Amino acid sequence: MMGMFSFSAAHAQGKKSFEAVDPTYELMNLPKVDLTKFKKNKNGAYVLFDGSSLEGWRGYNKTYVPNKWTIEDGALKFSKKPSVDKPEGGDLIFAHDFKNFELEFEWKISEAGNSGVFFLAKEVKGQPIYISSPEYQILDNEKHPDASKGVDGNRQSASLYDMIPAKPQNAKAVGTWNKSKIIVQGEKVQHFQNGKKVVEYTIRTPEWNKLLQSSKFSQDKWPLAFELLSKVGAEPGVIGFQDHGDDVWYRNVTIKILP
């Protein structure tokens, strides 16, 4: 439990004055896995998803895998279509905390689809995963309306969602596999898409806070998000895949631990 968030208001010359303190939040204490029990590939990266097992994965703020997440043809799939045996969705995380790493994965999105990849996230009781995590955007840039929103394309695929656009924008067509990589080392973060570095930024700096203040996570719009994101990466966090209500597939998910 962190500090309290409150406002004290007074009237002075017809204006309100506010005094803000840190917002209140509670971190969940849910099971984590021993990474050393997972296999490494020839490049020394741990295989987090091998196409056949969901070992190590569970829902965000849950102890189990929501059953809209399944394995289909060697890929991890979120299914949009509701059914009797797949009624529950939610974001999916790998239950281990990472700090410095090189995360690689492949993805493909459905027509007009939207998803995202989270990292350095905390499981905050009663809050969505993106309140504490940067988001590597996954999107159909051609048909999803988010592609034309935001600023300068900063909601298109591989972008730091709502903050920095991916350039060059080299996502492949809907239904085609894209290859992505996220590198976090210290305060430096890099996004790669299909072999190109498309985004680079530095967290926990004045420049980072300026980006937050220009986004929907600003201190005025969302004080708790600003509080958590301004400190992101100071401690290890989980990685996750987003349920945005659209069909999406992930495969070949690996992570190399960096010093």
Side-chain angles (χ1 to χ4, degrees), residues 222-236:
W222 201 347
L224 180 53
F226 182 83
E227 165 74 11
L228 293 168
L229 286 167
S230 66
K231 299 175 181 177
V232 70
E235 299 293 336

Side-chain angles (χ1 to χ4, degrees), residues 166-182:
K167 294 186 178 183
Q169 181 48 254
N170 62 345
K172 296 181 180 179
V174 162
T176 306
W177 286 102
N178 294 268
K179 190 177 177 72
S180 293
K181 178 165 61 176
I182 300 168

Side-chain angles (χ1 to χ4, degrees), residues 28-39 46-49 53-59 62-65 92-98 123 236-239 255 257:
M28 302 289 283
N29 183 23
L30 295 172
K32 299 290 174 67
V33 297
D34 181 357
L35 190 65
T36 62
K37 294 182 178 179
F38 289 77
K39 294 180 181 178
Y46 287 100
V47 178
L48 303 188
F49 176 70
S53 170
L54 288 173
E55 183 183 358
W57 297 86
R58 58 175 174 78
K62 295 180 172 73
T63 58
Y64 55 91
V65 175
L92 191 71
I93 67 160
F94 185 82
H96 184 85
D97 289 322
F98 299 99
E123 292 185 275
V238 298
I239 64 165
I255 196 161
I257 305 302

Side-chain angles (χ1 to χ4, degrees), residues 16-37:
K16 292 181 180 180
S17 63
F18 296 94
E19 181 182 352
V21 246
D22 290 347
T24 298
Y25 62 93
E26 182 179 347
L27 298 181
M28 302 289 283
N29 183 23
L30 295 172
K32 299 290 174 67
V33 297
D34 181 357
L35 190 65
T36 62
K37 294 182 178 179

Side-chain angles (χ1 to χ4, degrees), residues 35 40 44-46 48 96-103 184-185 254-259:
L35 190 65
K40 287 185 178 182
Y46 287 100
L48 303 188
H96 184 85
D97 289 322
F98 299 99
K99 189 171 176 67
N100 295 310
F101 56 84
E102 186 173 305
L103 172 67
V184 178
Q185 192 154 32
T254 66
I255 196 161
K256 181 184 284 188
I257 305 302
L258 302 177

